[in-house]
Each structure stands twice: as C-alpha cells, then as structure tokens.
Amino acid sequence: MPEDYTPDVRTDYIAQMMDISLCLKRPSRMGDSKRMRMTSNFQWLLLTVLLLYLMNQVNSQKKRTPRDLKCITNNLQMWDCSWRAPSGAGHGAAYEVCFENGSHSCYRLEKNIKLPALLPGDHEITINPLHDFGNFISKFTLNEKNVSLIPDAPEILDLSADFSTSTLHLKWNDKGSVFPHHSNVIWEIKVLRKKNMEIVKLVTHNTTLNGRDTVHHWSWISDMPLECTTHYVGIRFYIDDPQFSGRKEWSDWSPLKNISWSPDSQTKVFPQDRVLLVGSDITVCCVTQEKVLSAQIGSTYCPLIHLDGKNVAIKIRNISASESSGTNVVFSVEDNMFGTVIFAGYPPDIPQKLNCETYDLKEIICTWNPGRPTFLVGPRNTSYTLFESFSGKYVRFKRVELPTNESYQLFFQMLPNQEIYNFTLNARNPLGQSESTLLVNITEKVHPHIPTSVKVKDISSTAVTLSWHLPGSFAKIKLLCQIEINKTNSVHELRNVTMRGIENSSYLAAVDKLNPYTIYTFRIRCCTDPFWKWSKWSNEKQYLTTEAIPSKGPDTWREWSSDGKNLIIYWKPLPINEANGKILSYNVSCSSDEETQSLSEIPDPQHKAEIQLDKNDYIISVVAKNSVGSSPPSKIASMEIPNADLKIEQAVRMGNGILLTWNYDPNVTCDYVIKWCNSSRSEPCLMDWKKVPSNSTETIIESDQFRPGVRYNFFVYGCRNQGYQLLRSIIGYVEELAPVVAPNFTVEDTSADSILVKWEEIPVEELRGFLRGYLFYFEKGERDTSKMRVLESGRSDIKVKNITDISQKTLRIADLQGKTSYHLVLRAYTDGGMGPEKSMFVVTKENSVGLIIAILIPVAVAVIVGVVTSILCYRKREWIKETFYPDIPNPENCKALQFQKSVCEGNSALKTLEMNPCTPNNVEVLETRSTVPKIEDTEIISPVAERPEDSTDAQPENHVVVSYCPPVIEEEIVNPGADEAGGASQVIYIDIQSMYQPQAKPEEEPENDPVVGTGYKPQMHLLVTSTVEDLAADDDLDKTAGYRPQANVNTWNLVSPDSPRSTDSNSEIVSFGSPCSINSRQFLIPPKDEDSPKSNGGGWSFTNFFQNKPND
C-alpha cells in the first residue's frame, strides 16, 4: 500500500513540541533534590497534555487531505488506483494527480485513475484536491508489489446435461487475449444441488493463458441422476503469473447456471436400466407428486433421502453382482409402486489363451477364453472383434453369456499368398473394454481334420494296404501320419508314415509284419511338418488277415491210465499266432523201433486221445491241420523213469502265483514239465501243465482255474532222452483259508481227575489250508444251566491248550475235579485263520479216595472225641456220680435229730419242734454254760432269698448261712451228756429288721463247752474243716426221745445249691443236703464244732470239673 506524504505544517508542530519537551526535562541547578522531585510529576503531566494536543492537530489535518491509495489490475496491463477523499469534499470534487513514469504527467479527474502498468520500481504520486477549504497535498510511493491482481469474474458460455449418464458438460472462455503473456491459470468449479444450494462438488482445473481466447470444457458425472433435482454450476479462476510481483487473488464467482428436468405429471424413477460396476455406489430417486412411503432394493428396505418437493432418493452402497434378470429397485406410494432395474457386473476380462490355427489351410480358427464372467447378458453382454492389421480386415462375434467359462472361437478366411497374420481381439461391454494380440505364421499352426474313409486291402497273409481321406489343401507341406495297430490280448503298436501333401486329399500306406489269420484293428491320425498338433484319431477299422500253415505243433503231455494199460495223450490248442488259421483236426501217431501206429484224425474240439500200449518206449507225435496245411509234429516219449528219493513238499502262493523251484540237473536235456491238478480228483490227475526250458530252475505257476482254499498237487518232471522223471512232488494253495468244519472228537476215557479226548482228521476239501495245529478249550459248565460263552484265551476261567503237533490225535486233560461237568471245545487252524468250533459237555467220575477220606475223617474225629471223653469221665467218675447220681439217704439210718434217752426221759418239758409260719430271724446266743460250741449270731435267710452282692467280708470257716425259721421261743438248753462239759446257754430268737444284715464274727469258745438246756435243741453252727472229728460219743443221742434228725450229721452236705457261698471258688463250704427233722420241714442250723462233716468239694464250680479229688 502506498504511504501518505506528511505536509509541512505538521512538521512545524512537531518541532515546537520537541522544544517544549526538552525545556520541561531540563532540571534547575539552583533547587535541591527535594524540589526537583516535586516538579518532575508536573512536567510529565504537562508533556502528556501537549502530546494529545499535537496528535489531535495531526489527525484533523489528515482528514483534510486524500489518503489510503489502492491500486489493482485485472489484465496486467492497466492499474486502477483509488483513494479516500478528504472530509468535507463533495461528490464531484476534482483532484490533480501527478506521477513520474519516465516523464512527469498530471491528470485532472474526480476520484480514480487508470494508469498503464508502471515499470518496476518505486514511483511518486502526488494528489492535490482542488477545493476551497485549504491546500493540502498528499504524496504516495507506488510500487508493483503494492498492486493486487484480481481478474474479472469469468463467464460460463454453456452448461448442458446428458441425462442418460447423469453427466454435466461445462463450457467457458478464458479471455486469454487480454493478458500480455502466457500464464498458468487455476480454475475452481463448484456444483450445487437443490434449492438450498448444497455444495456437492468443488474441484480445480488447470489451464494456460496463451495470448488468445480459448474455450475450455469440463464434464462431471453426478452420483445422483440429474432428473432428481436442480444442479447449479459456478466458476472462478486465479492467475499464477511468475512475472508479476504483486499480490494475486481469486476472481469473483461467475453467475450460477443451472440444469433442471421438467417432470410431467407421471411418477418416474431414475436412472432407468443402469449398468454398474460391482461394488459401486448408486443413488436412485423417485420424481413424484405423491408421498413415497418406502423404497427397497431386492428385499432390503432403504432409508429415504428427501429432495425438493416430494421427490425422494435412496443410496445403495457396494452393490453386488446382479442375476441375469438384474436387480429391482421399487418405490411404494399409497396405492401404487414404481421402480427401475439395475445391472451390476464387470468389464470384460483380457481374452486369455488366444490361439489361432487352421484345419485345412483354408480358414483360420481363433479361440480364446473369456476369463472372468461379467454377469451382464442380453444387450449388455460382451462383444468381440477380431482385427487383422496387415490386411485391415476384421470379423465380429457377439457371444452369449453362459454361467461357466468356455472357449469362444471366430473364423477368419485365409488370404491368398499370406502366411503371417497379426490379430488383435477386442472385447467390449457397457462397463469397459480390453484386448489381446497374436502374431502367427499359419503354416506352422496346422491342426488337421480327422482322417475319414479308412479302408484295408490284402497284400499277403502278413501285409495289407491302408487308405484314408484327409480334408484340406496340403500340397505345399509335408504330412506325418501315425497308424495304430491293435490285436487281441496284445500291446498296441504305432507306425509313422511321412508323405507329401496332395490336392485330392486321398492317401495310401502299406502295413507289413502282420500275423496270419489275426484280427487287427487300425486307426490313423495325421499332423504337419513342422509339428503343431495331431489330428484326432480316425474311427477304428477291423480286419482279419488270411490263413497260413501252422508255425508250431501243439503243446503235448501224456498220462498213463489208472490201470496202467492205456496211454492218454493231451494237447493244448495252438495260440492264434501259432495256428495261423482255424485248426480243423489233429493227427496222433505213436512209433517205436519196430512199428508206427496212427490213429484216425481227431476233430478240433477234442484235445485228448487214448492209445493202448505196453510198457515199452514209444514216441508220440501230434500234428495240427488247418485249411492251408499241417503243423510240424510235436513229439513226447511215453516212458517214465522212477525216482526213489521223492518227498512231498508244501508251497504257498507268492505274488501272482505259486513259486516252484528245483535244483539244476545236467541230465535234463530237453525241458522241464510242471503238471498240476486238484488233489481231490481221482487218478489220472491232470488240470494243466507247463513246459520250462532246461536251463531254468524255477517258475511261477498261474492259472485262472486256481481257487482259494483248494489244495493242488504239483509235479515237476525232468525230460531226458529216454523219458520223463518225476523230480519233485509239491502240494500247495494259491491262498489259504480257515477250515470250514471243526474236528470231530470224542471222549475215550474219563476218570475222577482227567479226560482223554480223541479226534479225527479234517478232510482236505474242508481243511482249505495247511493244518498248523489245534486249540483245545475247556472250562467248568453245565449243559442245561448256561449257554456256551465266547471263548477267550485271556479269561482266567477258561483253560487253553495249543497243539502244534498235527500228528497228535489224542489229548489227556489232567488235574480236574471229580464229579464235575466240563465244557470241551476243539478248533483247528491254518495260516488262513481259525476254523469253527465243536463242543461237548463231559462229567468226570466220582473220586473214591475222597469219599473214603470223607468217611474216615468224621469217624476218626468221633473216636478221638469218645476216647477223650471216656478218659475225662473216668478221671471225674466220683464227681459225675455225686453230681448226677447221688446216694439217696435212708431215713431209718438218719440220726441227726435223735436225742439221748436220758435227756429225753429226764426232761419232761422236751417236746418236738412245732411247725409254725415264720419269717427269717437271727439267732443270738447270749450266754454259754457248757463246752458245747456257742451258737453264733446266725443270719437266717429265706430259701428263696437271693445271695447278697457283697460277700467279701464273710468268713466261711466260722459263719454258716442257713435257712431256718423257728418260732420265737426262749428256753434253756441243758447238756444231756454226762461226758460233756457242764453248763447251759439260753437261746433267744429275736426278730431281725433286715435279714441280709451282715453278722459280726463270734469270738472263739472252748471246744468242750457242753450245750445246756432242755427241750428243742437246734442244729448248731458247724465249723467247716477239712476233716470230720470224732463224733462217736454222740451215738447215744440216737436213743434220745423227742427230736430226731433225718440223717447222721456225717452225711450232711454243708453247702446247699441255693447257698450264696456255693459259687465262691475260694470257699470250701458245700451243700447241707436236707437237714430236716422228721417232724419239721424247716431247714436246721448245723452244730458249730470241729467234728462237723467236711465239705467234699461237690459244688458246680467249673474248676472242680477238671480237679482231681485228693484220694484219686
């Protein structure tokens, strides 16, 4: 921008202000420092006021002068300069503008000035306003750098549209003639849509100004059909001139132009039948006056995009390949539907494997593979054009789209005298095009047609002539033809024939080295030289050559009949290649040194003859005849040399047959003969034979008659001058199988612990292999209780015996149980597998030794028990007698209750014991008057009372518990005996609160203290000792009247079974027995003295059972 040049008045103001400022800042030398600080603030305030005044004067002066000079250019040739008018200037104010551009020029004008482009550098411009309010002149410095290049807005010449492709075409003029030199131009084009001016495209386009007006074109394909809404286009440009150093700016936008489609009253959908690339995006719209409810592509609904009015659109992204009928797009309104079809596919692929060749040098066939399917059919499918550049000719082909890739072909007529062709194959469809090229010498690309009309003609029995027809004009090239010769059961043979091509296309070739009377099949194919491709094979031609004399005699063998009187001659039919014709008959003859014998002719179907001969040596001859002649004779000797060292061997199939070997024998001069037959057939056994040269030591026997599981006998004969000798005899199988039957076995013998089994051999026909052994299973089992289980050698309850000695026919099974059922199973096996099983149930015999032992053991046990029992009973006889059979006392001999006569007679108060009901009481002796043992306090217990639990304090020696229930009586007891110590004691019977209360041990009294008292004298508490004291002195008591005991005290058993002390193992107290008076049923208390009976140890103690008595 140019700078304003300041007037002179403004300079004077500035100078004055500077002087004032300097005066205010200069300090006074006469004032002190305090005064200086006070005045400094005042100086600064005054200076600020002066500056504000000065600035106001300057601004007021500027408003009265022109300012803000600006210059622009739109063509680089003229500068258009303008400035701001001073304040107060009227609308028609005039100015004088002067500038220097090589010369001084001044112009009088109103506001702007158009200057020619100034030279580079600074230029001074003076603007003097011509008005009445003062003379203020403005000066500016102007340079090209301060000038802006702003081109004029461009103008669109034309905007058109191709609605079928939704393409806008824009055309405008760059007006390059107004610019002085070439410049680069950048155009910016914007496309707007709908009434709201939505920008949908903003692109740049580069061109060059060349000094003349140029019309430019630009096209744009809309993603939305142009019929859907109005489209607007505007442009502007920017000149990039490297020679211009000023600022460059965009021009203004051109006026907008629009493209719209005028719809009719009908609803329509756009685009119609559009072809798209797979994966593309497309916008489909519906132009309508009705409200659209929904839109869908195929079966998929799409959201609606609202356009102007009621028009709507949908956006379809990444569209997939269409079916052959295309993809439907449907818009639905309230009562109708509208739609279009979209075809999505691919552009044509580059034709692949383009190849051009000829069949007959008349027409060229070009084939190719179309590559990837385009998925476009009908009028949108791919069309092909084959163009030949040397001749300029072309042919067209429009293929039919198929779902699979296939080869296509075009035919191009060959041109005369042209061998080299340059082909270009172009493929085109609505989405694009592609091409492929090929340069070919057609004479090297000949693929002949199939030879036809093949014929065969005889030359001889071993040669023929073939003829055929080959379409085409091959006069200038060579042909190579291949003849394939096939005959039955033989490898086909190929023969090549080279020949010059001919115009009539008929060719001949001779074929020799054939076999007579043989059916041959011929076929032919041809190619050119140099080789390109073989033609296809012609149809087969079958031909039978003529007959010839048989080239060899039949293969012959002989066998003697079973009775040895006749010789049977066998021969095989001659192979076709040796018969050389149809064999009609055979001649058989035998000769010896003496004679020759001939048989009648034998017709062909028969291949055996029988001659009655003796054992002499004969030569047998067999001759075959056909319609041409007889074969050479086949001879064989009738003599057979014996062999004493012959052994039978085994052989199994190896590979495709049975391998037989033998040692080399130099004595074999002619050949070896291997004969075989089924071993089950009767003699003579013959199925077939095979002859092997004499230098061989092995051969493999193969035959279609061999069957698996059948045994065959093989015999190897060696031929010598005087006859054949059997060298080896072999049995074998081509394949071993498992036996079909089980061995038939029986039980020969059974015992208590073993079974003897015997079985028979399996016949050869049912064995079906070499027997390798037997498996014998046995287990416990009943026939009626369990079914036969699967035999498994791994089970512990099944015993298995493997018998590998095939000569063994019996087996004894030992270690069995007697009288037990066993399940026996026998199976045979070969290398081919395990045969079926045969089973039986056998019961072993009863074991007599075991029975005897079973009887003897109980008897012995019983005897031992009896002996032991007898010994124990003997040792315990007294105890047994006393326990189980005690002596029953005689009451007459009982003296227990007898009293001395003197006592009874002298005491009138003595009377018998009365029986009254009583309860248990204690007897307490209060006073002792005699030497009779003192009656201790005795616990009287009821006979039914139980034993007290605590009996540890009892003293069995001086305390006896008895059962006694006397009446409560108090009386004196007088000693009746004269020899006893005097004295009496008073017995008082007192009720006892507790009959089980323990009693204190009484003190010892003199043994000879007599009992004093009269009347009833109870039994005394007897002392238990080991021996019985002398009680003889009391014998006189037997004569006493009154109370008499049942028995003598000596016979009492002191311990009753009911006594609590009877179970004490440490006590020697025993039962009292039954010490009752004759007149009383009460238990009585025995006397307590040393003469009481001793316990005899007769209790039920378990220890007494095994304890001996002292006297034993």
Side-chain angles (χ1 to χ4, degrees):
M1 295 291 294
E3 294 182 356
D4 294 339
Y5 189 83
T6 306
D8 295 337
V9 177
R10 184 175 61 183
T11 303
D12 295 339
Y13 283 132
I14 292 175
Q16 294 175 5
M17 293 303 299
M18 291 299 293
D19 292 340
I20 295 172
S21 174
L22 290 175
C23 293
L24 292 175
K25 289 181 179 180
R26 184 179 302 115
S28 177
R29 295 180 179 179
M30 298 179 66
D32 53 10
S33 59
K34 183 176 180 181
R35 183 179 178 184
M36 292 175 62
R37 286 194 301 269
M38 294 176 60
T39 58
S40 63
N41 294 333
F42 175 76
Q43 292 176 358
W44 280 109
L45 180 61
L46 181 61
L47 179 61
T48 302
V49 172
L50 291 176
L51 288 175
L52 290 176
Y53 174 77
L54 179 61
M55 291 178 65
N56 184 43
Q57 293 296 324
V58 171
N59 290 332
S60 62
Q61 190 175 14
K62 281 185 177 182
K63 292 180 180 180
R64 294 192 296 268
T65 60
R67 61 187 184 274
D68 299 336
L69 178 66
K70 296 180 180 179
C71 295
I72 62 173
T73 179
N74 52 20
N75 55 13
L76 298 177
Q77 297 184 28
M78 296 296 295
W79 293 0
D80 187 1
C81 297
S82 61
W83 56 88
R84 292 182 62 181
S87 59
H91 178 69
Y95 301 90
E96 182 181 27
V97 180
C98 300
F99 62 90
E100 295 288 339
N101 188 17
S103 61
H104 183 77
S105 299
C106 292
Y107 297 93
R108 185 183 179 88
L109 43 84
E110 291 184 353
K111 186 172 183 178
N112 8 351
I113 182 173
K114 291 186 180 293
L115 305 176
L118 301 179
L119 296 176
D122 294 336
H123 300 274
E124 184 178 282
I125 297 180
T126 301
I127 302 176
N128 183 18
L130 303 177
H131 46 72
D132 297 337
F133 53 82
N135 187 14
F136 296 97
I137 301 174
S138 297
K139 294 182 180 180
F140 302 92
T141 300
L142 183 62
N143 194 305
E144 187 182 61
K145 294 179 180 180
N146 305 122
V147 179
S148 298
L149 175 59
I150 303 176
D152 293 335
E155 181 181 357
I156 297 175
L157 298 180
D158 182 53
L159 178 63
S160 60
D162 183 357
F163 289 98
S164 63
T165 60
S166 298
T167 304
L168 288 176
H169 299 285
L170 179 65
K171 184 169 65 174
W172 72 94
N173 192 335
D174 63 0
K175 297 181 179 180
S177 59
V178 301
F179 294 94
H181 43 75
H182 293 266
S183 300
N184 295 325
V185 180
I186 301 174
W187 301 89
E188 192 171 64
I189 307 171
K190 65 178 179 180
V191 180
L192 302 93
R193 181 181 294 164
K194 298 191 296 185
K195 293 181 179 179
N196 58 0
M197 298 298 178
E198 175 186 337
I199 297 178
V200 295
K201 191 70 174 179
L202 184 64
V203 296
T204 58
H205 182 73
N206 298 323
T207 62
T208 302
L209 298 176
N210 53 15
R212 61 179 183 272
D213 293 346
T214 303
V215 176
H216 299 282
H217 300 269
W218 177 80
S219 297
W220 173 71
I221 299 176
S222 174
D223 60 340
M224 179 182 292
L226 300 179
E227 298 92 340
C228 299
T229 187
T230 304
H231 288 73
Y232 303 87
V233 179
I235 61 174
R236 66 176 180 173
F237 69 105
Y238 174 89
I239 299 177
D240 185 14
D241 189 348
Q243 299 179 14
F244 179 72
S245 60
R247 291 189 301 274
K248 303 163 189 173
E249 299 181 11
W250 285 95
S251 70
D252 293 334
W253 286 101
S254 68
L256 294 177
K257 284 202 171 186
N258 64 77
I259 288 292
S260 61
W261 180 73
S262 300
D264 52 18
S265 60
Q266 294 182 352
T267 299
K268 291 186 178 180
V269 177
F270 301 99
Q272 286 289 324
D273 301 336
R274 176 65 59 85
V275 180
L276 297 175
L277 181 66
V278 173
S280 301
D281 299 340
I282 184 174
T283 301
V284 182
C285 69
C286 179
V287 179
T288 180
Q289 300 299 323
E290 303 178 60
K291 182 179 180 180
V292 177
L293 302 178
S294 64
Q296 64 186 82
I297 174 171
S299 59
T300 304
Y301 286 89
C302 302
L304 298 176
I305 302 172
H306 293 278
L307 305 176
D308 296 334
K310 294 184 179 181
N311 299 347
V312 295
I314 59 173
K315 186 75 173 181
I316 303 171
R317 301 182 183 276
N318 193 21
I319 190 168
S320 58
S322 303
E323 299 178 356
S324 58
S325 58
T327 303
N328 295 326
V329 180
V330 177
F331 290 86
S332 300
V333 296
E334 185 174 357
D335 56 354
N336 205 348
M337 296 173 61
F338 304 94
T340 183
V341 181
I342 296 175
F343 300 92
Y346 295 96
D349 202 356
I350 297 175
Q352 302 172 7
K353 299 180 181 179
L354 176 62
N355 177 52
C356 293
E357 61 185 16
T358 180
Y359 291 135
D360 50 12
L361 289 178
K362 297 178 181 179
E363 189 177 44
I364 299 173
I365 301 96
C366 292
T367 60
W368 67 93
N369 190 316
R372 178 186 60 191
T374 62
F375 296 98
L376 301 177
V377 297
R380 290 161 291 278
N381 66 356
T382 304
S383 62
Y384 292 90
T385 301
L386 182 65
F387 177 74
E388 203 285 308
S389 60
F390 294 153
S391 62
K393 294 186 177 182
Y394 63 90
V395 291
R396 289 179 178 175
F397 169 79
K398 191 170 185 179
R399 68 168 185 162
V400 177
E401 181 73 27
L402 296 177
T404 58
N405 292 341
E406 62 176 7
S407 294
Y408 299 98
Q409 61 182 11
L410 274 174
F411 295 91
F412 189 89
Q413 294 296 324
M414 289 185 62
L415 302 175
N417 302 321
Q418 183 175 345
E419 296 180 355
I420 299 176
Y421 293 84
N422 186 16
F423 291 108
T424 299
L425 180 65
N426 182 272
R428 182 188 300 272
N429 73 5
L431 295 178
Q433 63 179 0
S434 61
E435 65 179 25
S436 181
T437 60
L438 177 68
L439 181 65
V440 60
N441 185 345
I442 202 62
T443 59
E444 298 176 354
K445 302 289 184 179
V446 179
H447 184 193
H449 286 290
I450 301 174
T452 59
S453 303
V454 179
K455 297 180 181 179
V456 183
K457 185 178 181 181
D458 285 324
I459 298 177
S460 66
S461 61
T462 59
V464 294
T465 300
L466 290 178
S467 63
W468 66 91
H469 177 76
L470 186 64
S473 178
F474 305 111
K476 297 181 180 180
I477 60 175
K478 290 183 178 181
L479 293 177
L480 174 63
C481 293
Q482 196 172 66
I483 302 173
E484 183 185 72
I485 305 171
N486 288 322
K487 61 180 179 179
T488 307
N489 299 327
S490 177
V491 179
H492 67 272
E493 178 185 358
L494 295 177
R495 299 186 186 181
N496 295 331
V497 180
T498 303
M499 58 190 70
R500 295 288 303 178
I502 53 179
E503 291 294 337
N504 57 11
S505 303
S506 295
Y507 301 90
L508 296 174
V511 182
D512 56 0
K513 298 180 182 180
L514 304 177
N515 293 329
Y517 199 68
T518 302
I519 298 176
Y520 286 94
T521 301
F522 302 97
R523 61 177 185 168
I524 304 166
R525 65 178 181 178
C526 296
C527 69
T528 59
D529 189 14
F531 175 78
W532 167 241
K533 286 182 181 179
W534 286 107
S535 69
K536 294 183 180 180
W537 286 103
S538 66
N539 294 330
E540 293 182 347
K541 181 66 176 180
Q542 198 173 65
Y543 189 75
L544 177 64
T545 56
T546 58
E547 293 188 8
I549 297 173
S551 60
K552 190 177 180 181
D555 187 2
T556 309
W557 183 245
R558 83 288 179 279
E559 288 285 331
W560 286 96
S561 61
S562 57
D563 56 5
K565 296 181 179 180
N566 295 334
L567 184 67
I568 304 173
I569 299 97
Y570 301 92
W571 62 89
K572 296 180 182 180
L574 285 173
I576 295 176
N577 59 341
E578 295 177 355
N580 294 337
K582 183 177 181 180
I583 301 300
L584 302 176
S585 61
Y586 298 92
N587 249 345
V588 180
S589 62
C590 61
S591 61
S592 63
D593 296 339
E594 300 177 355
E595 60 178 348
T596 300
Q597 181 182 356
S598 298
L599 300 178
S600 58
E601 290 188 355
I602 299 172
D604 174 53
Q606 185 175 348
H607 302 104
K608 181 177 73 172
E610 188 171 350
I611 306 175
Q612 186 175 0
L613 298 174
D614 52 25
K615 294 299 183 178
N616 294 329
D617 188 12
Y618 291 90
I619 301 298
I620 310 300
S621 298
V622 180
V623 175
K625 293 183 178 181
N626 63 11
S627 60
V628 179
S630 299
S631 68
S634 294
K635 297 182 179 183
I636 188 171
S638 64
M639 182 179 176
E640 185 167 330
I641 304 171
N643 186 353
D645 298 333
L646 189 64
K647 295 181 180 180
I648 299 177
E649 305 172 27
Q650 294 182 355
V652 182
R653 177 177 182 172
M654 294 183 62
N656 296 327
I658 295 180
L659 176 65
L660 301 179
T661 61
W662 57 87
N663 296 326
Y664 174 74
D665 190 352
N667 296 324
V668 176
T669 56
C670 35
D671 54 25
Y672 292 96
V673 175
I674 294 91
K675 180 192 75 169
W676 63 88
C677 66
N678 191 327
S679 61
S680 61
R681 294 185 182 179
S682 59
E683 295 292 339
C685 173
L686 179 65
M687 279 182 58
D688 204 351
W689 70 91
K690 178 181 180 181
K691 290 185 178 181
V692 181
S694 59
N695 58 354
S696 299
T697 58
E698 65 178 25
T699 187
I700 296 178
I701 305 301
E702 297 177 342
S703 175
D704 294 337
Q705 299 179 1
F706 287 155
R707 296 291 179 268
V710 178
R711 179 180 294 184
Y712 296 96
N713 294 339
F714 298 89
F715 304 94
V716 180
Y717 291 90
C719 176
R720 302 180 181 182
N721 292 330
Q722 61 270 39
Y724 285 91
Q725 183 181 26
L726 181 59
L727 303 179
R728 294 186 65 188
S729 177
I730 303 169
I731 57 175
Y733 293 87
V734 293
E735 182 181 354
E736 290 189 83
L737 302 177
V740 294
V741 297
N744 187 16
F745 73 100
T746 58
V747 177
E748 294 293 314
D749 181 39
T750 59
S751 64
D753 61 349
S754 66
I755 299 174
L756 178 62
V757 180
K758 183 178 181 181
W759 59 88
E760 301 175 356
E761 290 186 353
I762 300 176
V764 173
E765 296 82 1
E766 298 174 342
L767 189 59
R768 305 202 302 176
F770 294 116
L771 181 63
R772 300 304 180 191
Y774 302 93
L775 283 181
F776 193 87
Y777 306 83
F778 62 95
E779 64 172 339
K780 293 181 182 180
E782 296 291 340
R783 181 189 304 272
D784 299 330
T785 58
S786 63
K787 295 183 179 180
M788 182 177 178
R789 293 174 291 180
V790 179
L791 297 176
E792 301 174 357
S793 59
R795 287 172 45 189
S796 59
D797 57 338
I798 297 180
K799 304 297 188 299
V800 183
K801 291 186 179 295
N802 186 7
I803 305 169
T804 57
D805 183 6
I806 60 176
S807 62
Q808 180 179 343
K809 296 296 182 291
T810 61
L811 175 66
R812 178 171 292 278
I813 309 169
D815 299 329
L816 304 180
Q817 296 181 4
K819 204 174 183 180
T820 304
S821 176
Y822 285 91
H823 183 197
L824 310 180
V825 177
L826 183 61
R827 307 175 74 180
Y829 63 90
T830 66
D831 289 338
M834 189 72 64
E837 58 189 38
K838 185 170 184 180
S839 64
M840 67 170 55
F841 291 85
V842 179
V843 180
T844 56
K845 294 182 178 180
E846 189 173 2
N847 192 343
S848 59
V849 176
L851 180 61
I852 293 172
I853 293 174
I855 295 173
L856 289 179
I857 288 176
V859 171
V861 171
V863 170
I864 293 171
V865 172
V867 171
V868 173
T869 304
S870 300
I871 293 172
L872 293 175
C873 290
Y874 178 77
R875 290 176 61 88
K876 296 291 183 177
R877 62 188 180 276
E878 293 296 334
W879 173 82
I880 294 173
K881 182 175 180 299
E882 293 174 1
T883 303
F884 297 101
Y885 305 102
D887 293 334
I888 302 174
N890 190 351
E892 295 180 356
N893 298 326
C894 181
K895 300 179 180 180
L897 299 179
Q898 291 182 359
F899 298 94
Q900 295 180 5
K901 184 177 180 182
S902 59
V903 175
C904 294
E905 290 179 353
N907 191 355
S908 60
L910 183 65
K911 40 189 168 182
T912 58
L913 180 66
E914 294 182 359
M915 297 179 58
N916 295 316
C918 67
T919 57
N921 293 284
N922 284 340
V923 178
E924 181 177 359
V925 179
L926 301 177
E927 184 178 355
T928 302
R929 300 178 182 178
S930 65
T931 59
V932 178
K934 183 180 179 181
I935 301 300
E936 300 286 344
D937 291 342
T938 304
E939 183 180 2
I940 306 302
I941 305 175
S942 174
V944 296
E946 295 180 0
R947 178 185 176 184
E949 294 181 1
D950 190 2
S951 61
T952 58
D953 298 331
Q955 300 297 328
E957 291 82 359
N958 52 18
H959 190 196
V960 177
V961 179
V962 297
S963 297
Y964 173 60
C965 299
V968 182
I969 300 173
E970 181 179 354
E971 61 178 282
E972 291 183 353
I973 299 175
V974 183
N975 186 2
D979 52 351
E980 296 178 358
S985 64
Q986 189 177 8
V987 179
I988 299 175
Y989 300 94
I990 302 173
D991 290 338
I992 305 301
Q993 296 296 328
S994 178
M995 55 190 298
Y996 298 101
Q997 185 175 355
Q999 303 299 320
K1001 182 177 180 181
E1003 297 179 356
E1004 295 292 336
E1005 296 292 338
E1007 296 180 359
N1008 296 324
D1009 188 12
V1011 179
V1012 180
T1014 59
Y1016 170 71
K1017 184 173 66 176
Q1019 300 168 357
M1020 293 177 294
H1021 193 175
L1022 302 179
L1023 294 177
V1024 180
T1025 60
S1026 60
T1027 60
V1028 179
E1029 302 293 337
D1030 294 335
L1031 299 176
D1034 297 333
D1035 290 342
D1036 294 336
L1037 294 176
D1038 297 340
K1039 301 176 183 181
T1040 303
Y1043 175 78
R1044 289 185 300 169
Q1046 293 179 357
N1048 196 318
V1049 177
N1050 296 335
T1051 63
W1052 289 8
N1053 290 325
L1054 300 181
V1055 179
S1056 171
D1058 297 330
S1059 173
R1061 298 178 182 268
S1062 65
T1063 58
D1064 190 354
S1065 60
N1066 296 323
S1067 176
E1068 295 181 356
I1069 299 173
V1070 294
S1071 176
F1072 274 108
S1074 181
C1076 295
S1077 169
I1078 298 173
N1079 299 320
S1080 175
R1081 290 175 295 177
Q1082 301 294 334
F1083 285 96
L1084 302 181
I1085 302 174
K1088 181 179 179 183
D1089 53 19
E1090 298 296 333
D1091 297 333
S1092 298
K1094 184 181 180 182
S1095 174
N1096 58 6
W1100 279 97
S1101 176
F1102 181 76
T1103 57
N1104 292 336
F1105 184 81
F1106 296 99
Q1107 182 178 358
N1108 294 330
K1109 296 178 67 176
N1111 58 354
D1112 287 346

